[in-house]
Amino acid sequence: DDDGTPYFDSATEALATAREGARLKVYTDIPKLDQWTGGFREGELIVLTAETGTGKSLFAAQIRARACRDGYVALFCSGEMSRSHLAGRELATASGVTPIKMRRDDLLTEDDFSALITAASHQCKKCRILDGELSLSRIRRAARKMKRRNGLDLLILDYDELIEAEGKTEFE
């Protein structure tokens, strides 16, 4: 019997949200994008697509880090990169250590290592990384467990083609 919602009721709901403010606003730290979108809102599905190697994973990690700083809890699911690789990228950024040094540890100085340790001590204990072989059921279980334990505000699925899902084609 669902025949939709009248435009009037939808407009009233939109005005109430505008007056009260959205519960969840996730920003990217890219001023123009944040100004244009007003932040990503609760219930929205945001799909980022671009050529390989253009920085989608880095952008997603940046969004997660900003959300965490704003007090939101996130689950970052990566079928491509290991949790230590993802964390290493963020540690390099937070510490000011050149990212190549995370791959070439022979270049790390004592000052670099000290800065990395300091950055690591400030990492979130609520946000989580799920890596390795990913399936929708594994992601669902992890998300539900997080939601019960600490809450869950943001779910990032990095590299959807590496997530095992039922269906014969990519679109299914």
Side-chain angles (χ1 to χ4, degrees):
D1 290 335
D2 184 14
D3 61 350
T5 303
Y7 271 85
F8 180 83
D9 294 349
S10 299
T12 302
E13 184 180 329
L15 289 174
T17 299
R19 178 169 300 284
E20 297 167 12
R23 184 189 77 80
L24 178 71
K25 291 181 185 176
V26 175
Y27 296 100
T28 66
D29 276 344
I30 299 174
K32 284 264 191 210
L33 182 58
D34 290 338
Q35 180 183 9
W36 185 68
T37 64
F40 300 138
R41 307 296 178 97
E42 183 174 14
E44 290 182 334
L45 171 66
I46 310 301
V47 179
L48 304 172
T49 63
E51 294 294 322
T52 301
T54 57
K56 296 178 300 295
S57 297
L58 186 61
F59 181 50
Q62 178 178 331
I63 293 169
R64 194 249 9 124
R66 169 62 194 265
C68 182
R69 285 194 311 273
D70 289 343
Y72 299 123
V73 178
L75 174 59
F76 193 107
C77 303
S78 177
E80 180 182 24
M81 287 185 252
S82 70
R83 62 185 176 262
S84 61
H85 185 94
L86 288 165
R89 281 179 157 194
E90 290 196 24
L91 289 176
T93 299
S95 66
V97 172
T98 308
I100 190 63
K101 290 183 177 184
M102 297 304 291
R103 297 182 62 82
R104 293 272 320 270
D105 56 352
D106 57 308
L107 300 176
L108 285 171
T109 66
E110 285 299 319
D111 287 343
D112 291 335
F113 203 70
S114 178
L116 289 166
I117 290 171
T118 300
S121 71
H122 296 292
Q123 291 297 299
C124 183
K125 292 179 175 62
K126 292 182 180 179
C127 293
R128 302 180 77 80
I129 299 170
L130 190 65
D131 66 346
E133 298 293 321
L134 296 179
S135 66
L136 288 180
S137 60
R138 182 175 177 222
I139 293 167
R140 184 181 304 114
R141 281 192 307 274
R144 286 181 176 160
K145 188 174 183 180
M146 277 186 71
K147 184 78 171 173
R148 281 191 310 272
R149 186 182 300 149
N150 293 313
L152 179 63
D153 301 300
L154 178 64
L155 177 64
I156 296 173
L157 307 176
D158 187 26
Y159 212 140
D160 65 336
E161 291 180 7
L162 296 178
I163 298 172
E164 181 183 316
E166 291 184 24
K168 296 176 185 173
T169 69
E170 174 182 347
F171 299 107
E172 287 181 13

